Amino acid sequence: MQIPDKRTIILIAELFKGFDDPTRVQILSSLIGREMCVNEIAEAAELSQSATSHQLRILKRMRLVKFRREGKNLLYSLADDHVLTILKTGLDYVYSDT
């Protein structure tokens, strides 16, 4: 594998910053396979709505989650299958015997 150029390295480092906070990983994990509103995410992650909204803003800015409006609610989900792959790879790594 060839070493990526400097810009690509910076973008990869920025991507992984989205996973450098346990709260964000918890939120991302709660969104695996489903859409949820802020209240549901807050409850699943055992966070306040304010803290959840703050973390969701960061995750949106990092393009790790997306949302759609349904009436007055915003429903959040993982941005795409790449995010799921990163989470699963992280789990595999943590639980590996090596």
Side-chain angles (χ1 to χ4, degrees):
M1 182 173 144
Q2 187 176 13
I3 297 173
D5 61 78
K6 188 168 186 158
R7 182 180 185 287
T8 302
I9 289 171
I10 291 169
L11 291 172
I12 292 169
E14 287 295 317
L15 167 68
F16 282 103
K17 284 182 184 178
F19 296 90
D20 77 348
D21 182 285
T23 301
R24 289 195 288 271
V25 174
Q26 190 173 11
I27 289 170
L28 291 169
S29 297
S30 71
L31 292 172
I32 292 174
R34 60 185 171 168
E35 290 182 312
M36 299 173 80
C37 69
V38 174
N39 295 342
E40 293 169 323
I41 297 167
E43 185 176 319
E46 299 178 352
L47 298 167
S48 70
Q49 284 185 2
S50 174
T52 302
S53 293
H54 173 72
Q55 295 299 338
L56 284 168
R57 278 191 299 278
I58 293 169
L59 291 168
K60 280 190 303 187
R61 188 174 62 240
M62 295 180 156
R63 298 180 2 225
L64 296 172
V65 298
K66 62 183 178 181
F67 68 93
R68 68 178 180 89
R69 188 172 298 277
E70 188 172 278
K72 293 184 179 183
N73 290 323
L74 294 178
L75 296 174
Y76 291 87
S77 60
L78 297 179
D80 60 31
D81 288 341
H82 293 101
V83 180
L84 179 59
T85 299
I86 293 167
L87 287 168
K88 285 183 176 181
T89 301
L91 283 171
D92 289 347
Y93 182 80
V94 168
Y95 290 122
S96 70
D97 292 329
T98 57

Short mmCIF file of all heavy atoms in Angstrom, two decimals, residues 51-96:
data_model
loop_
_atom_site.label_atom_id
_atom_site.label_comp_id
_atom_site.label_asym_id
_atom_site.label_seq_id
_atom_site.Cartn_x
_atom_site.Cartn_y
_atom_site.Cartn_z
N ALA A 51 -26.73 17.27 25.77
CA ALA A 51 -25.46 16.62 25.46
C ALA A 51 -25.57 15.80 24.17
O ALA A 51 -24.65 15.80 23.33
CB ALA A 51 -25.02 15.71 26.61
N THR A 52 -26.70 15.14 23.99
CA THR A 52 -26.92 14.35 22.78
C THR A 52 -26.95 15.24 21.55
O THR A 52 -26.29 14.94 20.54
CB THR A 52 -28.25 13.56 22.90
OG1 THR A 52 -28.18 12.73 24.07
CG2 THR A 52 -28.49 12.70 21.67
N SER A 53 -27.68 16.35 21.63
CA SER A 53 -27.74 17.28 20.50
C SER A 53 -26.37 17.83 20.15
O SER A 53 -26.02 17.96 18.98
CB SER A 53 -28.70 18.43 20.81
OG SER A 53 -30.02 17.95 20.90
N HIS A 54 -25.58 18.15 21.17
CA HIS A 54 -24.23 18.66 20.94
C HIS A 54 -23.38 17.63 20.20
O HIS A 54 -22.71 17.96 19.20
CB HIS A 54 -23.58 19.01 22.28
CG HIS A 54 -22.14 19.38 22.18
ND1 HIS A 54 -21.71 20.56 21.62
CD2 HIS A 54 -21.03 18.69 22.52
CE1 HIS A 54 -20.38 20.60 21.64
NE2 HIS A 54 -19.95 19.47 22.17
N GLN A 55 -23.41 16.39 20.65
CA GLN A 55 -22.62 15.34 20.00
C GLN A 55 -23.13 15.06 18.59
O GLN A 55 -22.34 14.79 17.68
CB GLN A 55 -22.62 14.07 20.85
CG GLN A 55 -21.93 14.21 22.19
CD GLN A 55 -20.47 14.60 22.08
OE1 GLN A 55 -19.81 14.39 21.07
NE2 GLN A 55 -19.94 15.19 23.15
N LEU A 56 -24.44 15.11 18.38
CA LEU A 56 -25.00 14.89 17.05
C LEU A 56 -24.55 15.98 16.08
O LEU A 56 -24.29 15.70 14.92
CB LEU A 56 -26.53 14.81 17.11
CG LEU A 56 -27.09 13.51 17.65
CD1 LEU A 56 -28.58 13.65 17.94
CD2 LEU A 56 -26.83 12.35 16.69
N ARG A 57 -24.44 17.22 16.56
CA ARG A 57 -23.94 18.30 15.70
C ARG A 57 -22.51 17.99 15.23
O ARG A 57 -22.17 18.18 14.07
CB ARG A 57 -23.98 19.64 16.43
CG ARG A 57 -25.33 20.31 16.40
CD ARG A 57 -25.29 21.74 16.88
NE ARG A 57 -24.85 21.90 18.26
CZ ARG A 57 -25.63 21.74 19.33
NH1 ARG A 57 -26.90 21.45 19.19
NH2 ARG A 57 -25.15 21.91 20.53
N ILE A 58 -21.70 17.51 16.15
CA ILE A 58 -20.32 17.15 15.81
C ILE A 58 -20.32 16.00 14.80
O ILE A 58 -19.61 16.04 13.79
CB ILE A 58 -19.52 16.76 17.07
CG1 ILE A 58 -19.33 17.99 17.97
CG2 ILE A 58 -18.17 16.12 16.71
CD1 ILE A 58 -18.79 17.69 19.35
N LEU A 59 -21.13 14.98 15.06
CA LEU A 59 -21.19 13.81 14.17
C LEU A 59 -21.72 14.19 12.78
O LEU A 59 -21.26 13.65 11.77
CB LEU A 59 -22.04 12.72 14.80
CG LEU A 59 -21.42 12.06 16.03
CD1 LEU A 59 -22.45 11.20 16.77
CD2 LEU A 59 -20.20 11.23 15.66
N LYS A 60 -22.67 15.13 12.73
CA LYS A 60 -23.17 15.60 11.43
C LYS A 60 -22.07 16.34 10.68
O LYS A 60 -21.88 16.13 9.48
CB LYS A 60 -24.37 16.54 11.61
CG LYS A 60 -25.68 15.84 11.86
CD LYS A 60 -26.86 16.79 11.78
CE LYS A 60 -26.74 17.93 12.73
NZ LYS A 60 -27.93 18.77 12.82
N ARG A 61 -21.36 17.21 11.39
CA ARG A 61 -20.29 17.99 10.77
C ARG A 61 -19.20 17.06 10.23
O ARG A 61 -18.60 17.33 9.18
CB ARG A 61 -19.70 18.98 11.77
CG ARG A 61 -18.72 19.96 11.17
CD ARG A 61 -18.26 21.02 12.13
NE ARG A 61 -17.56 20.45 13.27
CZ ARG A 61 -17.94 20.59 14.54
NH1 ARG A 61 -19.01 21.29 14.85
NH2 ARG A 61 -17.25 20.04 15.52
N MET A 62 -18.97 15.96 10.90
CA MET A 62 -17.96 14.99 10.48
C MET A 62 -18.52 13.99 9.46
O MET A 62 -17.82 13.07 9.05
CB MET A 62 -17.40 14.26 11.69
CG MET A 62 -16.65 15.17 12.61
SD MET A 62 -16.01 14.28 14.01
CE MET A 62 -14.65 15.34 14.46
N ARG A 63 -19.78 14.17 9.09
CA ARG A 63 -20.46 13.34 8.10
C ARG A 63 -20.55 11.87 8.51
O ARG A 63 -20.50 10.97 7.68
CB ARG A 63 -19.77 13.47 6.73
CG ARG A 63 -19.82 14.88 6.20
CD ARG A 63 -19.17 15.08 4.84
NE ARG A 63 -18.64 13.89 4.23
CZ ARG A 63 -17.45 13.82 3.65
NH1 ARG A 63 -16.67 14.86 3.60
NH2 ARG A 63 -17.03 12.70 3.09
N LEU A 64 -20.68 11.64 9.82
CA LEU A 64 -20.82 10.27 10.32
C LEU A 64 -22.28 9.90 10.54
O LEU A 64 -22.62 8.72 10.58
CB LEU A 64 -20.03 10.09 11.62
CG LEU A 64 -18.51 10.23 11.46
CD1 LEU A 64 -17.83 10.22 12.81
CD2 LEU A 64 -17.96 9.15 10.55
N VAL A 65 -23.14 10.91 10.71
CA VAL A 65 -24.58 10.68 10.79
C VAL A 65 -25.28 11.59 9.79
O VAL A 65 -24.74 12.60 9.36
CB VAL A 65 -25.17 10.91 12.21
CG1 VAL A 65 -24.57 9.97 13.23
CG2 VAL A 65 -25.04 12.35 12.64
N LYS A 66 -26.48 11.19 9.44
CA LYS A 66 -27.34 12.02 8.60
C LYS A 66 -28.69 12.09 9.29
O LYS A 66 -28.96 11.36 10.25
CB LYS A 66 -27.46 11.42 7.19
CG LYS A 66 -28.09 10.05 7.17
CD LYS A 66 -28.11 9.49 5.77
CE LYS A 66 -28.71 8.08 5.79
NZ LYS A 66 -28.75 7.46 4.47
N PHE A 67 -29.54 12.97 8.81
CA PHE A 67 -30.87 13.08 9.39
C PHE A 67 -31.88 13.40 8.31
O PHE A 67 -31.53 13.86 7.22
CB PHE A 67 -30.90 14.14 10.49
CG PHE A 67 -30.73 15.55 9.98
CD1 PHE A 67 -31.82 16.33 9.65
CD2 PHE A 67 -29.46 16.08 9.82
CE1 PHE A 67 -31.67 17.62 9.18
CE2 PHE A 67 -29.29 17.37 9.34
CZ PHE A 67 -30.39 18.14 9.02
N ARG A 68 -33.11 13.11 8.65
CA ARG A 68 -34.22 13.51 7.79
C ARG A 68 -35.33 14.00 8.70
O ARG A 68 -35.44 13.59 9.86
CB ARG A 68 -34.68 12.37 6.88
CG ARG A 68 -35.34 11.22 7.60
CD ARG A 68 -35.82 10.15 6.62
NE ARG A 68 -36.44 9.06 7.36
CZ ARG A 68 -37.73 9.01 7.69
NH1 ARG A 68 -38.54 9.99 7.34
NH2 ARG A 68 -38.21 7.99 8.36
N ARG A 69 -36.12 14.90 8.17
CA ARG A 69 -37.22 15.48 8.94
C ARG A 69 -38.49 14.67 8.69
O ARG A 69 -38.82 14.31 7.57
CB ARG A 69 -37.44 16.92 8.51
CG ARG A 69 -38.42 17.67 9.39
CD ARG A 69 -38.46 19.14 9.05
NE ARG A 69 -37.19 19.82 9.27
CZ ARG A 69 -36.77 20.28 10.44
NH1 ARG A 69 -37.51 20.10 11.51
NH2 ARG A 69 -35.63 20.91 10.54
N GLU A 70 -39.16 14.35 9.79
CA GLU A 70 -40.46 13.70 9.72
C GLU A 70 -41.39 14.50 10.63
O GLU A 70 -41.34 14.36 11.86
CB GLU A 70 -40.38 12.24 10.17
CG GLU A 70 -41.66 11.46 9.95
CD GLU A 70 -41.48 9.98 10.23
OE1 GLU A 70 -40.99 9.27 9.35
OE2 GLU A 70 -41.83 9.59 11.36
N GLY A 71 -42.20 15.36 10.03
CA GLY A 71 -43.02 16.27 10.82
C GLY A 71 -42.12 17.23 11.58
O GLY A 71 -41.26 17.90 11.00
N LYS A 72 -42.28 17.26 12.89
CA LYS A 72 -41.45 18.14 13.73
C LYS A 72 -40.18 17.45 14.21
O LYS A 72 -39.33 18.08 14.81
CB LYS A 72 -42.26 18.60 14.95
CG LYS A 72 -43.40 19.52 14.60
CD LYS A 72 -44.09 20.02 15.84
CE LYS A 72 -45.22 20.97 15.48
NZ LYS A 72 -45.86 21.53 16.68
N ASN A 73 -40.06 16.16 13.96
CA ASN A 73 -38.91 15.40 14.44
C ASN A 73 -37.81 15.28 13.40
O ASN A 73 -38.08 15.21 12.21
CB ASN A 73 -39.34 13.98 14.84
CG ASN A 73 -40.18 13.97 16.09
OD1 ASN A 73 -39.96 14.73 17.01
ND2 ASN A 73 -41.16 13.08 16.12
N LEU A 74 -36.59 15.24 13.89
CA LEU A 74 -35.44 14.88 13.06
C LEU A 74 -35.07 13.46 13.42
O LEU A 74 -34.89 13.13 14.59
CB LEU A 74 -34.25 15.81 13.34
CG LEU A 74 -34.41 17.27 12.96
CD1 LEU A 74 -33.15 18.05 13.34
CD2 LEU A 74 -34.69 17.42 11.47
N LEU A 75 -34.98 12.62 12.41
CA LEU A 75 -34.59 11.23 12.62
C LEU A 75 -33.16 11.05 12.14
O LEU A 75 -32.83 11.37 10.99
CB LEU A 75 -35.52 10.29 11.87
CG LEU A 75 -36.97 10.30 12.34
CD1 LEU A 75 -37.84 9.44 11.44
CD2 LEU A 75 -37.07 9.83 13.78
N TYR A 76 -32.31 10.55 13.02
CA TYR A 76 -30.89 10.38 12.74
C TYR A 76 -30.59 8.93 12.42
O TYR A 76 -31.22 8.01 12.93
CB TYR A 76 -30.05 10.81 13.95
CG TYR A 76 -30.10 12.29 14.18
CD1 TYR A 76 -31.10 12.86 14.95
CD2 TYR A 76 -29.14 13.13 13.63
CE1 TYR A 76 -31.16 14.23 15.16
CE2 TYR A 76 -29.19 14.50 13.83
CZ TYR A 76 -30.20 15.03 14.60
OH TYR A 76 -30.26 16.38 14.79
N SER A 77 -29.58 8.74 11.56
CA SER A 77 -29.09 7.41 11.23
C SER A 77 -27.62 7.51 10.87
O SER A 77 -27.09 8.62 10.69
CB SER A 77 -29.89 6.81 10.08
OG SER A 77 -29.78 7.60 8.93
N LEU A 78 -26.96 6.37 10.78
CA LEU A 78 -25.57 6.37 10.33
C LEU A 78 -25.51 6.92 8.91
O LEU A 78 -26.41 6.66 8.11
CB LEU A 78 -24.99 4.97 10.38
CG LEU A 78 -24.91 4.31 11.76
CD1 LEU A 78 -24.32 2.91 11.63
CD2 LEU A 78 -24.10 5.15 12.73
N ALA A 79 -24.47 7.64 8.60
CA ALA A 79 -24.37 8.30 7.30
C ALA A 79 -24.38 7.29 6.15
O ALA A 79 -25.01 7.52 5.13
CB ALA A 79 -23.13 9.17 7.23
N ASP A 80 -23.67 6.18 6.32
CA ASP A 80 -23.65 5.15 5.29
C ASP A 80 -23.00 3.89 5.86
O ASP A 80 -22.63 3.84 7.04
CB ASP A 80 -22.95 5.62 4.00
CG ASP A 80 -21.50 6.02 4.20
OD1 ASP A 80 -20.83 5.46 5.09
OD2 ASP A 80 -21.04 6.89 3.46
N ASP A 81 -22.84 2.89 5.01
CA ASP A 81 -22.29 1.62 5.46
C ASP A 81 -20.83 1.70 5.88
O ASP A 81 -20.34 0.84 6.61
CB ASP A 81 -22.46 0.55 4.39
CG ASP A 81 -23.90 0.09 4.23
OD1 ASP A 81 -24.71 0.32 5.17
OD2 ASP A 81 -24.23 -0.49 3.18
N HIS A 82 -20.11 2.74 5.43
CA HIS A 82 -18.72 2.89 5.85
C HIS A 82 -18.62 3.09 7.36
O HIS A 82 -17.71 2.56 7.99
CB HIS A 82 -18.06 4.07 5.13
CG HIS A 82 -17.91 3.87 3.67
ND1 HIS A 82 -18.77 4.42 2.77
CD2 HIS A 82 -17.01 3.15 2.96
CE1 HIS A 82 -18.41 4.07 1.55
NE2 HIS A 82 -17.34 3.29 1.63
N VAL A 83 -19.54 3.84 7.92
CA VAL A 83 -19.52 4.09 9.36
C VAL A 83 -19.75 2.78 10.10
O VAL A 83 -19.07 2.47 11.09
CB VAL A 83 -20.57 5.15 9.76
CG1 VAL A 83 -20.55 5.40 11.26
CG2 VAL A 83 -20.34 6.45 9.00
N LEU A 84 -20.70 1.98 9.63
CA LEU A 84 -20.95 0.68 10.23
C LEU A 84 -19.72 -0.21 10.14
O LEU A 84 -19.35 -0.89 11.10
CB LEU A 84 -22.15 0.01 9.54
CG LEU A 84 -22.53 -1.38 10.03
CD1 LEU A 84 -22.89 -1.35 11.51
CD2 LEU A 84 -23.70 -1.90 9.21
N THR A 85 -19.04 -0.19 9.01
CA THR A 85 -17.82 -0.99 8.83
C THR A 85 -16.75 -0.57 9.82
O THR A 85 -16.07 -1.43 10.41
CB THR A 85 -17.30 -0.85 7.38
OG1 THR A 85 -18.30 -1.34 6.49
CG2 THR A 85 -16.01 -1.61 7.17
N ILE A 86 -16.59 0.74 10.02
CA ILE A 86 -15.59 1.23 10.97
C ILE A 86 -15.93 0.75 12.38
O ILE A 86 -15.05 0.28 13.12
CB ILE A 86 -15.47 2.76 10.92
CG1 ILE A 86 -14.89 3.20 9.57
CG2 ILE A 86 -14.61 3.29 12.07
CD1 ILE A 86 -15.01 4.69 9.30
N LEU A 87 -17.20 0.85 12.77
CA LEU A 87 -17.61 0.39 14.10
C LEU A 87 -17.37 -1.10 14.26
O LEU A 87 -16.83 -1.55 15.29
CB LEU A 87 -19.09 0.71 14.33
CG LEU A 87 -19.44 2.17 14.58
CD1 LEU A 87 -20.94 2.38 14.50
CD2 LEU A 87 -18.90 2.63 15.93
N LYS A 88 -17.75 -1.90 13.27
CA LYS A 88 -17.56 -3.35 13.35
C LYS A 88 -16.08 -3.70 13.38
O LYS A 88 -15.66 -4.60 14.12
CB LYS A 88 -18.25 -4.04 12.17
CG LYS A 88 -19.75 -4.09 12.32
CD LYS A 88 -20.39 -4.84 11.17
CE LYS A 88 -21.88 -4.97 11.36
NZ LYS A 88 -22.52 -5.71 10.27
N THR A 89 -15.27 -3.00 12.60
CA THR A 89 -13.84 -3.25 12.60
C THR A 89 -13.25 -2.92 13.97
O THR A 89 -12.40 -3.65 14.48
CB THR A 89 -13.13 -2.43 11.49
OG1 THR A 89 -13.69 -2.81 10.23
CG2 THR A 89 -11.63 -2.66 11.48
N GLY A 90 -13.71 -1.84 14.56
CA GLY A 90 -13.26 -1.48 15.91
C GLY A 90 -13.61 -2.56 16.92
O GLY A 90 -12.78 -2.94 17.76
N LEU A 91 -14.82 -3.09 16.84
CA LEU A 91 -15.22 -4.18 17.74
C LEU A 91 -14.37 -5.41 17.52
O LEU A 91 -13.91 -6.04 18.48
CB LEU A 91 -16.70 -4.52 17.53
CG LEU A 91 -17.70 -3.56 18.16
CD1 LEU A 91 -19.11 -3.89 17.68
CD2 LEU A 91 -17.63 -3.62 19.67
N ASP A 92 -14.16 -5.77 16.26
CA ASP A 92 -13.31 -6.93 15.95
C ASP A 92 -11.91 -6.74 16.52
O ASP A 92 -11.33 -7.67 17.09
CB ASP A 92 -13.22 -7.15 14.44
CG ASP A 92 -14.50 -7.67 13.83
OD1 ASP A 92 -15.41 -8.10 14.59
OD2 ASP A 92 -14.62 -7.63 12.59
N TYR A 93 -11.39 -5.54 16.39
CA TYR A 93 -10.04 -5.26 16.88
C TYR A 93 -9.98 -5.37 18.40
O TYR A 93 -9.08 -6.00 18.97
CB TYR A 93 -9.58 -3.88 16.43
CG TYR A 93 -8.17 -3.55 16.86
CD1 TYR A 93 -7.08 -4.03 16.14
CD2 TYR A 93 -7.94 -2.79 17.98
CE1 TYR A 93 -5.79 -3.76 16.55
CE2 TYR A 93 -6.65 -2.51 18.39
CZ TYR A 93 -5.58 -2.99 17.68
OH TYR A 93 -4.31 -2.72 18.08
N VAL A 94 -10.95 -4.77 19.06
CA VAL A 94 -10.97 -4.78 20.54
C VAL A 94 -11.11 -6.20 21.08
O VAL A 94 -10.50 -6.55 22.09
CB VAL A 94 -12.10 -3.86 21.06
CG1 VAL A 94 -12.35 -4.07 22.54
CG2 VAL A 94 -11.76 -2.40 20.78
N TYR A 95 -11.91 -7.01 20.40
CA TYR A 95 -12.18 -8.36 20.89
C TYR A 95 -11.25 -9.42 20.30
O TYR A 95 -11.40 -10.60 20.59
CB TYR A 95 -13.63 -8.75 20.63
CG TYR A 95 -14.60 -7.98 21.51
CD1 TYR A 95 -15.60 -7.20 20.95
CD2 TYR A 95 -14.49 -8.03 22.88
CE1 TYR A 95 -16.47 -6.50 21.76
CE2 TYR A 95 -15.36 -7.32 23.70
CZ TYR A 95 -16.34 -6.55 23.12
OH TYR A 95 -17.21 -5.85 23.92
N SER A 96 -10.27 -9.00 19.50
CA SER A 96 -9.34 -9.99 18.93
C SER A 96 -8.38 -10.49 20.00
O SER A 96 -8.14 -9.83 21.00
CB SER A 96 -8.58 -9.39 17.75
OG SER A 96 -7.66 -8.43 18.22
#
